[in-house]
Amino acid sequence: MEDKVIERSYLDMELLRFTTAGSVDDGKSTLIGRLLYDSKAIFQDQLEAIERASIKKGEEYINLALLTDGLRAEREQGITIDVAYRYFHTPKRKFIIADTPGHVQYTRNMVTGASTANAAVILVDARHGVIEQTIRHAYIASLLRIPHVIVCVNKMDLVDFKQDVFDSIQQKFHEFATHLDLHDVRFIPISALLGDNVVDRSKNMDWYQGPTLMYLLENLYISNDYNQLDARFPVQYVIRPQSIEFHDYRGYAGRMASGTFRVGDRVKVLPSGFTTTIKGIDFWTDHLDSITAPQSGTIILEDDLDVSRGCMIIPEENGIKQGQDIELMICWLGDKPMVPGGKYALKHTTNDLRCMVKEVKYKININTLEKDYNDKSVGMNDIACITIRTTKPLFYDSYRQNRVTGSLILIDEATNVTVGAGMIV
């Protein structure tokens, strides 16, 4: 019985997804290793393994970066190449960390890791201050509308824990951040190597009165990160048990993209446009009164309508954009450049369709963040504004309004490789 209570409390814990970003050698992997180590989230055999690896490499300290840098090439070069996901929890919260690369050529990896994040932890080397890569990562956090940004000024031990160094970096970040769409920005001076202000408060920086990184991650208010105004339920699967016990059961399973639905709500089913009432909401064997993003469940409708995967259930009075000519910001992930006029498969929520690239409006100069209207070639890691035409109407919100219904991916039909991540304007 006690085990069931513990399991239930763990399952009911709030989940925070956060990504780390920074330039090469800013200490992202070391910071994550320190978080896991100081919060007692690694096993003894893992600790012993990285101790042996550190001694073998002749290092003075336990190299906590080895906890996340799992690829052989990463360990040899001392850099992060792929997105490394790590899972851990504290008594207050569950966490999923996406450790993303710092190199310019791995911009696409950062976009992948940050696309579902509630928070972005951007590392700045205290010795170098704000550099181009810092601006680049802040821009991507802004583009992906990550609700919370935590700027960790790392390696404070190498600048003698001086407050004026921290204050100067904070001021410079604010100067360019005013031009970006960032709402909640926090600053923490840390030393990932020594553990200052990561999990435990630093004795070397008594001038800093703010929270430690772990305290901030545990207490960030993320309930408002989801759009709770516009209810959207993309249908994933039609449940028809075809059994004697559930002979007439017909439910529509999926995950709430945003908002809340309650039993008795009047709703509209797209693309048909027919209206009906929610008769019931099920989750496994439980009958619910309501379902709220990001919960999954099964909605039962009062009337028998033609509803299948790719359809969307929305409130009767709450409109949603629809059209075939869509403008979006895209990060190109493919090895081959985008083909103007090229045809691609498109996935939007649970909907599968095809599209054609109509026009490249401009490309973002990732170093200066200026719009380049002359260079229309879009290659790997490029970010551009394009328009596409879909084979059938798309039902969507702008990415600014809804990160789920406002995002899509483009797929190369020949190779089935995801080549573009799009945010609808």
Side-chain angles (χ1 to χ4, degrees):
M1 182 68 181
E2 190 175 330
D3 289 342
K4 285 188 177 179
V5 172
I6 293 172
E7 182 183 354
R8 172 62 66 181
S9 63
Y10 174 76
L11 292 175
D12 291 341
M13 269 184 174
E14 193 172 47
L15 171 66
L16 174 78
R17 299 171 184 266
F18 70 94
T19 182
T20 59
S23 187
V24 183
D25 295 331
D26 276 350
K28 298 180 299 301
S29 299
T30 304
L31 173 62
I32 293 175
R34 174 61 65 184
L35 272 174
L36 298 174
Y37 180 69
D38 284 0
S39 61
K40 309 295 189 290
I42 60 174
F43 295 113
Q44 186 63 33
D45 60 338
Q46 288 178 296
L47 181 60
E48 290 171 358
I50 64 170
E51 281 178 345
R52 288 194 299 270
S54 300
I55 293 169
K56 189 177 179 181
K57 294 178 74 174
E59 294 172 345
E60 296 180 24
Y61 300 92
I62 296 175
N63 189 348
L64 296 172
L66 299 177
L67 279 169
T68 54
D69 287 343
L71 298 177
R72 180 180 295 177
E74 292 177 324
R75 294 194 173 192
E76 287 174 352
Q77 298 178 55
I79 62 171
T80 301
I81 294 173
D82 199 2
V83 181
Y85 292 96
R86 288 295 176 269
Y87 309 84
F88 75 105
H89 73 278
T90 66
K92 288 190 175 182
R93 226 175 217 170
K94 294 182 291 189
F95 299 93
I96 298 179
I97 315 171
D99 182 22
T100 60
H103 284 64
V104 179
Q105 65 263 39
Y106 299 126
T107 300
R108 62 177 182 174
N109 301 60
M110 183 194 168
V111 171
T112 302
S115 58
T116 57
N118 301 99
V121 176
I122 298 177
L123 268 76
V124 177
D125 190 322
R127 298 168 300 172
H128 305 143
V130 173
I131 59 175
E132 279 186 359
Q133 197 68 330
T134 312
I135 299 171
R136 184 178 296 111
H137 290 142
Y139 173 76
I140 292 174
S142 168
L143 180 70
L144 293 172
R145 295 194 62 74
I146 298 176
H148 312 279
V149 173
I150 305 168
V151 181
C152 289
V153 181
N154 192 22
K155 305 192 179 183
M156 288 296 293
D157 52 306
L158 300 182
V159 293
D160 299 323
F161 302 103
K162 292 179 180 176
Q163 181 178 358
D164 57 340
V165 174
F166 174 73
D167 291 342
S168 174
I169 291 172
Q170 188 171 342
Q171 182 183 347
K172 286 180 181 176
F173 191 95
H174 271 309
E175 285 174 3
F176 76 84
T178 53
H179 304 290
L180 301 176
D181 198 6
L182 299 175
H183 300 286
D184 180 24
V185 183
R186 320 281 184 101
F187 295 85
I188 305 176
I190 67 167
S191 169
L193 184 67
L194 303 179
D196 292 68
N197 285 336
V198 179
V199 173
D200 303 315
R201 181 165 291 283
S202 171
K203 295 177 181 178
N204 298 305
M205 292 179 279
D206 52 6
W207 46 265
Y208 172 73
Q209 300 301 313
T212 64
L213 177 60
M214 178 57 84
Y215 181 88
L216 190 55
L217 291 172
E218 282 187 327
N219 293 280
L220 270 179
Y221 185 70
I222 61 173
S223 296
N224 286 344
D225 291 355
Y226 290 93
N227 178 332
Q228 300 297 359
L229 298 176
D230 309 303
R232 305 283 186 259
F233 185 84
V235 176
Q236 290 186 20
Y237 188 72
V238 180
I239 297 180
R240 290 293 310 277
Q242 303 283 347
S243 64
I244 295 173
E245 187 181 357
F246 301 100
H247 188 269
D248 294 321
Y249 189 95
R250 183 195 295 266
Y252 306 104
R255 184 183 187 190
M256 285 295 292
S258 57
T260 300
F261 275 133
R262 295 176 176 82
V263 174
D265 282 356
R266 290 289 298 172
V267 294
K268 182 188 293 183
V269 179
L270 300 174
S272 67
F274 288 122
T275 58
T276 184
T277 303
I278 294 179
K279 183 179 178 181
I281 300 171
D282 293 344
F283 180 74
W284 192 232
T285 56
D286 297 333
H287 302 295
L288 308 179
D289 295 323
S290 64
I291 182 171
T292 301
Q295 284 180 301
S296 296
T298 301
I299 290 179
I300 303 160
L301 301 178
E302 197 73 57
D303 303 297
D304 288 333
L305 301 178
D306 181 13
V307 184
S308 58
R309 177 180 173 86
C311 292
M312 188 178 292
I313 300 173
I314 67 170
E316 184 178 31
E317 300 300 327
N318 185 290
I320 190 171
K321 296 178 182 178
Q322 55 179 296
Q324 289 181 262
D325 294 311
I326 316 292
E327 182 178 331
L328 53 101
M329 297 296 296
I330 194 158
C331 176
W332 198 250
L333 313 175
D335 297 325
K336 298 177 183 176
M338 177 193 293
V339 180
K343 295 179 176 61
Y344 297 93
L346 183 153
K347 281 186 180 290
H348 173 258
T349 62
T350 58
N351 205 356
D352 295 305
L353 57 159
R354 299 175 72 232
C355 71
M356 179 185 75
V357 177
K358 280 183 65 179
E359 179 191 6
V360 177
K361 290 197 165 185
Y362 58 83
K363 195 163 77 171
I364 297 292
N365 184 321
I366 204 70
N367 297 315
T368 63
L369 304 187
E370 295 177 347
K371 297 176 182 178
D372 188 344
Y373 290 92
N374 298 317
D375 184 6
K376 300 296 181 73
S377 61
V378 180
M380 184 170 64
N381 295 316
D382 283 341
I383 296 173
C385 179
I386 67 170
T387 55
I388 59 172
R389 183 169 182 82
T390 58
T391 51
K392 57 184 179 181
L394 202 66
F395 302 95
Y396 63 93
D397 298 290
S398 69
Y399 189 79
R400 176 183 293 272
Q401 182 181 344
N402 192 319
R403 289 177 75 189
V404 180
T405 57
S407 60
L408 55 83
I409 59 172
L410 299 185
I411 299 168
D412 187 321
E413 292 183 291
T415 61
N416 208 32
V417 170
T418 302
V419 292
M423 284 87 29
I424 300 174
V425 176

